[in-house]
Structures are given as structure tokens and as C-alpha cells.
Amino acid sequence: MKKTKPKKKAGGDSRAVRGANRELKTVALSCLTGVCVTFVILAVVALVMTFTDLPHGAITPITIAAVVAGCFAAGFFCGKALREKGLLYGFICGSILFLLAFFSELLLVGDKISVLLLYKYIIYIASAMIGDVLGVNRRRKVR
């Protein structure tokens, strides 16, 4: 009787597919977390602005701080969940959040593309990468 090798499934290595799906889901959920953090901070600032007289010059730094906090949170949760490749996944999370903000701004406001766009991109990816590296290097609780 001839020995036959077991047939491979058509999908390839299922572990690699599951790993890629896990990474994709984690990045997507982390970006959603970052958007929610940014939204909550901006909503609180809008609520404060309705009851107090906030100077017009303070709006830009506050929005930058909200974006930095959101990108940091996205990177941190992604790094905490995946526990590897902090800079790469931080770069990906920051880039996704930047593209979401860029296309939203382009559709709603219709601003021109300028050099400030590069500065915004650097802020997004830098804060997400820092958050991701800190999330990867954070110690786990010992039970």
C-alpha cells in the first residue's frame, strides 16, 4: 500500500492567516480607540468653550494635544495587545489616523495641501510610535 502525504488546504498556512487577521483587527480597534479618545477630548473642550470665554489662540494647541493623545492611545493599545514591532505598528496606526483626518478635512473644509500637512503627519506618526513602543515595553501584571 502506498503512503500518501496529507493534502494541504487551499488557504495556505492557517496560522499565518490567523496572525495577519489578528494584527489587522488589533490595528483597526486601536485606531478606533484613538479616534474615540480624540473625540472625547474635543467634545469636553467644546463643552468648556460653551460656558467660558476661551481665547481663539488656544484652540490650535488644544486640538493638537487632543490629536497627540488620541494617536498615543491608539499606539499604546496596539502595542499592548500585539507585544511586538512597536515602531512599525505605531507608524501604521499613525498613518491610518492621519489619512482619516486628512480625507475628512479635505471633504469638509476643502483646504489646500501645504507644508503644514507634513508637520501634521509627523505629529501623528511620532505620537503613535511613542505610544506603541511604550505599550510593547510595558510590563505585564504578575498574578
Side-chain angles (χ1 to χ4, degrees):
M1 197 166 214
K2 250 185 180 181
K3 291 185 178 180
T4 59
K5 293 182 182 179
K7 293 182 180 179
K8 289 186 177 181
K9 294 183 180 178
D13 189 13
S14 62
R15 287 184 193 165
V17 171
R18 276 185 272 153
N21 286 339
R22 178 179 170 264
E23 292 167 356
L24 184 65
K25 286 179 186 176
T26 303
V27 168
L29 287 174
S30 297
C31 288
L32 182 64
T33 302
V35 168
C36 289
V37 167
T38 304
F39 176 76
V40 167
I41 292 171
L42 291 177
V44 168
V45 169
L47 187 66
V48 167
M49 287 176 64
T50 58
F51 296 115
T52 62
D53 188 27
L54 201 63
H56 185 67
I59 294 173
T60 301
I62 289 172
T63 56
I64 291 172
V67 164
V68 166
C71 289
F72 182 86
F76 185 80
F77 288 117
C78 186
K80 190 176 174 185
L82 293 178
R83 309 289 303 167
E84 64 180 3
K85 301 176 188 171
L87 290 176
L88 175 67
Y89 289 122
F91 181 80
I92 292 170
C93 285
S95 296
I96 290 171
L97 291 172
F98 172 77
L99 289 174
L100 286 173
F102 172 69
F103 287 122
S104 297
E105 184 178 342
L106 200 62
L107 288 173
L108 296 174
V109 181
D111 277 347
K112 296 177 183 176
I113 297 174
S114 67
V115 177
L116 290 176
L117 200 62
L118 178 65
Y119 296 134
K120 287 181 185 179
Y121 184 61
I122 290 171
I123 289 171
Y124 275 78
I125 62 169
S127 56
M129 289 169 78
I130 291 169
D132 211 320
V133 168
L134 292 177
V136 166
N137 293 326
R138 183 182 166 142
R139 295 179 188 220
R140 292 182 185 228
K141 291 182 183 178
V142 180
R143 293 182 184 191

Short mmCIF file of all heavy atoms in Angstrom, two decimals, residues 5-45:
data_model
loop_
_atom_site.label_atom_id
_atom_site.label_comp_id
_atom_site.label_asym_id
_atom_site.label_seq_id
_atom_site.Cartn_x
_atom_site.Cartn_y
_atom_site.Cartn_z
N LYS A 5 0.88 11.57 1.21
CA LYS A 5 1.03 12.73 2.08
C LYS A 5 -0.33 13.38 2.27
O LYS A 5 -1.15 13.39 1.35
CB LYS A 5 1.99 13.74 1.45
CG LYS A 5 3.40 13.26 1.36
CD LYS A 5 4.28 14.34 0.76
CE LYS A 5 5.70 13.83 0.62
NZ LYS A 5 6.57 14.85 0.03
N PRO A 6 -0.55 13.93 3.45
CA PRO A 6 -1.84 14.63 3.64
C PRO A 6 -1.90 15.86 2.74
O PRO A 6 -0.91 16.55 2.52
CB PRO A 6 -1.83 15.03 5.11
CG PRO A 6 -0.45 14.84 5.59
CD PRO A 6 0.25 13.91 4.64
N LYS A 7 -3.07 16.08 2.20
CA LYS A 7 -3.25 17.20 1.28
C LYS A 7 -3.26 18.51 2.06
O LYS A 7 -3.79 18.60 3.15
CB LYS A 7 -4.55 17.07 0.52
CG LYS A 7 -4.56 15.91 -0.43
CD LYS A 7 -5.86 15.85 -1.20
CE LYS A 7 -5.85 14.68 -2.15
NZ LYS A 7 -7.12 14.60 -2.88
N LYS A 8 -2.62 19.51 1.45
CA LYS A 8 -2.63 20.84 2.05
C LYS A 8 -3.93 21.53 1.70
O LYS A 8 -4.47 21.35 0.62
CB LYS A 8 -1.45 21.68 1.54
CG LYS A 8 -0.13 21.22 2.06
CD LYS A 8 0.94 22.19 1.64
CE LYS A 8 2.28 21.78 2.22
NZ LYS A 8 3.32 22.72 1.85
N LYS A 9 -4.37 22.34 2.62
CA LYS A 9 -5.58 23.11 2.36
C LYS A 9 -5.26 24.22 1.37
O LYS A 9 -4.14 24.70 1.30
CB LYS A 9 -6.13 23.69 3.65
CG LYS A 9 -6.61 22.63 4.60
CD LYS A 9 -7.20 23.26 5.83
CE LYS A 9 -7.69 22.18 6.77
NZ LYS A 9 -8.23 22.73 8.00
N ALA A 10 -6.27 24.65 0.65
CA ALA A 10 -6.08 25.67 -0.38
C ALA A 10 -5.72 27.03 0.20
O ALA A 10 -5.11 27.85 -0.45
CB ALA A 10 -7.34 25.80 -1.24
N GLY A 11 -6.06 27.27 1.46
CA GLY A 11 -5.84 28.57 2.06
C GLY A 11 -4.40 28.81 2.49
O GLY A 11 -4.08 29.88 2.96
N GLY A 12 -3.55 27.86 2.37
CA GLY A 12 -2.17 28.05 2.79
C GLY A 12 -2.02 27.80 4.28
O GLY A 12 -2.78 27.04 4.88
N ASP A 13 -1.04 28.41 4.89
CA ASP A 13 -0.79 28.23 6.30
C ASP A 13 -1.83 29.01 7.11
O ASP A 13 -1.86 30.23 7.09
CB ASP A 13 0.62 28.73 6.65
CG ASP A 13 1.02 28.38 8.06
OD1 ASP A 13 0.32 27.55 8.70
OD2 ASP A 13 2.02 28.93 8.54
N SER A 14 -2.67 28.28 7.81
CA SER A 14 -3.76 28.93 8.52
C SER A 14 -3.26 29.75 9.71
O SER A 14 -3.89 30.71 10.12
CB SER A 14 -4.79 27.90 8.99
OG SER A 14 -4.18 26.99 9.89
N ARG A 15 -2.11 29.40 10.26
CA ARG A 15 -1.55 30.18 11.37
C ARG A 15 -1.15 31.58 10.91
O ARG A 15 -1.39 32.56 11.60
CB ARG A 15 -0.34 29.49 11.97
CG ARG A 15 -0.68 28.29 12.79
CD ARG A 15 0.55 27.72 13.41
NE ARG A 15 0.26 26.40 13.93
CZ ARG A 15 1.16 25.53 14.29
NH1 ARG A 15 2.44 25.83 14.16
NH2 ARG A 15 0.82 24.36 14.76
N ALA A 16 -0.56 31.65 9.73
CA ALA A 16 -0.15 32.95 9.21
C ALA A 16 -1.37 33.82 8.91
O ALA A 16 -1.37 35.02 9.16
CB ALA A 16 0.69 32.78 7.95
N VAL A 17 -2.41 33.19 8.39
CA VAL A 17 -3.63 33.94 8.08
C VAL A 17 -4.28 34.43 9.37
O VAL A 17 -4.71 35.57 9.47
CB VAL A 17 -4.61 33.05 7.27
CG1 VAL A 17 -5.96 33.73 7.13
CG2 VAL A 17 -4.02 32.75 5.90
N ARG A 18 -4.34 33.54 10.38
CA ARG A 18 -4.92 33.95 11.65
C ARG A 18 -4.10 35.06 12.30
O ARG A 18 -4.65 35.99 12.89
CB ARG A 18 -5.03 32.77 12.61
CG ARG A 18 -6.29 31.97 12.38
CD ARG A 18 -6.41 30.89 13.40
NE ARG A 18 -5.69 29.74 12.86
CZ ARG A 18 -5.13 28.80 13.58
NH1 ARG A 18 -5.15 28.84 14.88
NH2 ARG A 18 -4.50 27.80 13.01
N GLY A 19 -2.77 34.98 12.18
CA GLY A 19 -1.91 36.02 12.74
C GLY A 19 -2.11 37.36 12.06
O GLY A 19 -2.17 38.40 12.70
N ALA A 20 -2.25 37.31 10.73
CA ALA A 20 -2.48 38.56 9.98
C ALA A 20 -3.85 39.15 10.31
O ALA A 20 -3.98 40.36 10.44
CB ALA A 20 -2.37 38.29 8.47
N ASN A 21 -4.85 38.28 10.45
CA ASN A 21 -6.18 38.78 10.83
C ASN A 21 -6.15 39.39 12.22
O ASN A 21 -6.79 40.40 12.46
CB ASN A 21 -7.22 37.65 10.77
CG ASN A 21 -7.60 37.29 9.36
OD1 ASN A 21 -7.41 38.07 8.44
ND2 ASN A 21 -8.13 36.11 9.18
N ARG A 22 -5.43 38.77 13.14
CA ARG A 22 -5.32 39.28 14.49
C ARG A 22 -4.65 40.66 14.49
O ARG A 22 -5.11 41.57 15.16
CB ARG A 22 -4.52 38.31 15.35
CG ARG A 22 -4.31 38.77 16.76
CD ARG A 22 -3.52 37.72 17.57
NE ARG A 22 -3.13 38.29 18.82
CZ ARG A 22 -1.95 38.84 19.07
NH1 ARG A 22 -1.03 38.87 18.13
NH2 ARG A 22 -1.66 39.35 20.23
N GLU A 23 -3.58 40.79 13.72
CA GLU A 23 -2.88 42.07 13.65
C GLU A 23 -3.76 43.15 13.02
O GLU A 23 -3.81 44.28 13.50
CB GLU A 23 -1.59 41.91 12.86
CG GLU A 23 -0.56 41.05 13.56
CD GLU A 23 0.59 40.64 12.66
OE1 GLU A 23 0.55 40.96 11.45
OE2 GLU A 23 1.51 39.99 13.16
N LEU A 24 -4.48 42.78 11.97
CA LEU A 24 -5.36 43.73 11.30
C LEU A 24 -6.48 44.19 12.23
O LEU A 24 -6.78 45.39 12.32
CB LEU A 24 -5.93 43.10 10.03
CG LEU A 24 -6.80 43.99 9.16
CD1 LEU A 24 -5.96 45.12 8.58
CD2 LEU A 24 -7.43 43.19 8.04
N LYS A 25 -7.08 43.25 12.94
CA LYS A 25 -8.15 43.60 13.88
C LYS A 25 -7.62 44.48 15.00
O LYS A 25 -8.28 45.44 15.42
CB LYS A 25 -8.77 42.34 14.48
CG LYS A 25 -9.65 41.58 13.53
CD LYS A 25 -10.19 40.33 14.21
CE LYS A 25 -10.95 39.46 13.24
NZ LYS A 25 -11.41 38.20 13.86
N THR A 26 -6.44 44.15 15.50
CA THR A 26 -5.86 44.93 16.59
C THR A 26 -5.56 46.35 16.15
O THR A 26 -5.84 47.31 16.87
CB THR A 26 -4.59 44.25 17.12
OG1 THR A 26 -4.92 42.92 17.53
CG2 THR A 26 -4.00 45.00 18.28
N VAL A 27 -4.98 46.51 14.97
CA VAL A 27 -4.69 47.85 14.46
C VAL A 27 -5.99 48.63 14.25
O VAL A 27 -6.08 49.81 14.61
CB VAL A 27 -3.85 47.76 13.15
CG1 VAL A 27 -3.80 49.10 12.46
CG2 VAL A 27 -2.45 47.25 13.44
N ALA A 28 -7.00 47.97 13.69
CA ALA A 28 -8.28 48.66 13.46
C ALA A 28 -8.94 49.09 14.77
O ALA A 28 -9.41 50.22 14.90
CB ALA A 28 -9.22 47.75 12.66
N LEU A 29 -8.95 48.19 15.76
CA LEU A 29 -9.54 48.55 17.05
C LEU A 29 -8.73 49.62 17.77
O LEU A 29 -9.30 50.49 18.44
CB LEU A 29 -9.67 47.31 17.93
CG LEU A 29 -10.78 46.33 17.53
CD1 LEU A 29 -10.72 45.07 18.39
CD2 LEU A 29 -12.14 46.98 17.65
N SER A 30 -7.43 49.58 17.62
CA SER A 30 -6.58 50.60 18.23
C SER A 30 -6.83 51.96 17.59
O SER A 30 -6.89 52.98 18.29
CB SER A 30 -5.11 50.23 18.10
OG SER A 30 -4.85 49.03 18.78
N CYS A 31 -6.98 51.99 16.28
CA CYS A 31 -7.28 53.25 15.60
C CYS A 31 -8.65 53.77 16.01
O CYS A 31 -8.83 54.98 16.21
CB CYS A 31 -7.20 53.07 14.09
SG CYS A 31 -5.51 52.89 13.49
N LEU A 32 -9.60 52.88 16.17
CA LEU A 32 -10.92 53.28 16.64
C LEU A 32 -10.84 53.86 18.06
O LEU A 32 -11.48 54.86 18.37
CB LEU A 32 -11.89 52.09 16.61
CG LEU A 32 -13.32 52.37 17.03
CD1 LEU A 32 -13.98 53.35 16.07
CD2 LEU A 32 -14.11 51.08 17.11
N THR A 33 -10.01 53.25 18.89
CA THR A 33 -9.78 53.77 20.25
C THR A 33 -9.18 55.17 20.19
O THR A 33 -9.59 56.06 20.93
CB THR A 33 -8.86 52.83 21.04
OG1 THR A 33 -9.43 51.53 21.09
CG2 THR A 33 -8.60 53.34 22.44
N GLY A 34 -8.20 55.36 19.32
CA GLY A 34 -7.59 56.67 19.17
C GLY A 34 -8.57 57.73 18.70
O GLY A 34 -8.56 58.86 19.20
N VAL A 35 -9.44 57.37 17.77
CA VAL A 35 -10.46 58.31 17.29
C VAL A 35 -11.42 58.65 18.43
O VAL A 35 -11.80 59.82 18.61
CB VAL A 35 -11.22 57.72 16.08
CG1 VAL A 35 -12.46 58.52 15.75
CG2 VAL A 35 -10.30 57.64 14.87
N CYS A 36 -11.80 57.65 19.22
CA CYS A 36 -12.72 57.90 20.34
C CYS A 36 -12.09 58.80 21.40
O CYS A 36 -12.75 59.69 21.93
CB CYS A 36 -13.16 56.57 20.96
SG CYS A 36 -14.27 55.63 19.91
N VAL A 37 -10.82 58.57 21.71
CA VAL A 37 -10.12 59.41 22.69
C VAL A 37 -10.06 60.85 22.19
O VAL A 37 -10.36 61.80 22.94
CB VAL A 37 -8.71 58.87 22.98
CG1 VAL A 37 -7.86 59.87 23.73
CG2 VAL A 37 -8.79 57.57 23.76
N THR A 38 -9.71 61.03 20.93
CA THR A 38 -9.66 62.38 20.35
C THR A 38 -11.04 63.03 20.38
O THR A 38 -11.17 64.21 20.75
CB THR A 38 -9.14 62.32 18.90
OG1 THR A 38 -7.87 61.67 18.89
CG2 THR A 38 -9.01 63.70 18.31
N PHE A 39 -12.06 62.27 20.03
CA PHE A 39 -13.42 62.80 20.02
C PHE A 39 -13.86 63.23 21.42
O PHE A 39 -14.45 64.31 21.59
CB PHE A 39 -14.40 61.77 19.46
CG PHE A 39 -15.83 62.21 19.52
CD1 PHE A 39 -16.32 63.14 18.62
CD2 PHE A 39 -16.68 61.71 20.49
CE1 PHE A 39 -17.64 63.56 18.67
CE2 PHE A 39 -18.00 62.12 20.56
CZ PHE A 39 -18.48 63.05 19.65
N VAL A 40 -13.59 62.41 22.42
CA VAL A 40 -13.99 62.74 23.79
C VAL A 40 -13.29 64.01 24.27
O VAL A 40 -13.92 64.90 24.86
CB VAL A 40 -13.72 61.55 24.74
CG1 VAL A 40 -13.83 61.96 26.20
CG2 VAL A 40 -14.68 60.41 24.44
N ILE A 41 -12.00 64.11 24.01
CA ILE A 41 -11.25 65.31 24.43
C ILE A 41 -11.80 66.55 23.74
O ILE A 41 -12.03 67.58 24.38
CB ILE A 41 -9.75 65.14 24.17
CG1 ILE A 41 -9.17 64.06 25.09
CG2 ILE A 41 -9.01 66.45 24.36
CD1 ILE A 41 -7.75 63.68 24.76
N LEU A 42 -12.05 66.45 22.44
CA LEU A 42 -12.58 67.61 21.71
C LEU A 42 -14.00 67.95 22.14
O LEU A 42 -14.38 69.13 22.17
CB LEU A 42 -12.51 67.36 20.21
CG LEU A 42 -11.10 67.34 19.61
CD1 LEU A 42 -11.16 67.00 18.13
CD2 LEU A 42 -10.39 68.65 19.83
N ALA A 43 -14.79 66.94 22.50
CA ALA A 43 -16.15 67.21 22.98
C ALA A 43 -16.12 67.92 24.33
O ALA A 43 -16.91 68.85 24.57
CB ALA A 43 -16.93 65.90 23.09
N VAL A 44 -15.20 67.50 25.21
CA VAL A 44 -15.07 68.17 26.51
C VAL A 44 -14.62 69.62 26.31
O VAL A 44 -15.12 70.54 26.96
CB VAL A 44 -14.11 67.40 27.42
CG1 VAL A 44 -13.72 68.20 28.65
CG2 VAL A 44 -14.72 66.06 27.83
N VAL A 45 -13.68 69.83 25.40
CA VAL A 45 -13.20 71.19 25.13
C VAL A 45 -14.34 72.05 24.55
O VAL A 45 -14.49 73.21 24.92
CB VAL A 45 -11.98 71.17 24.17
CG1 VAL A 45 -11.65 72.54 23.65
CG2 VAL A 45 -10.79 70.56 24.87
#
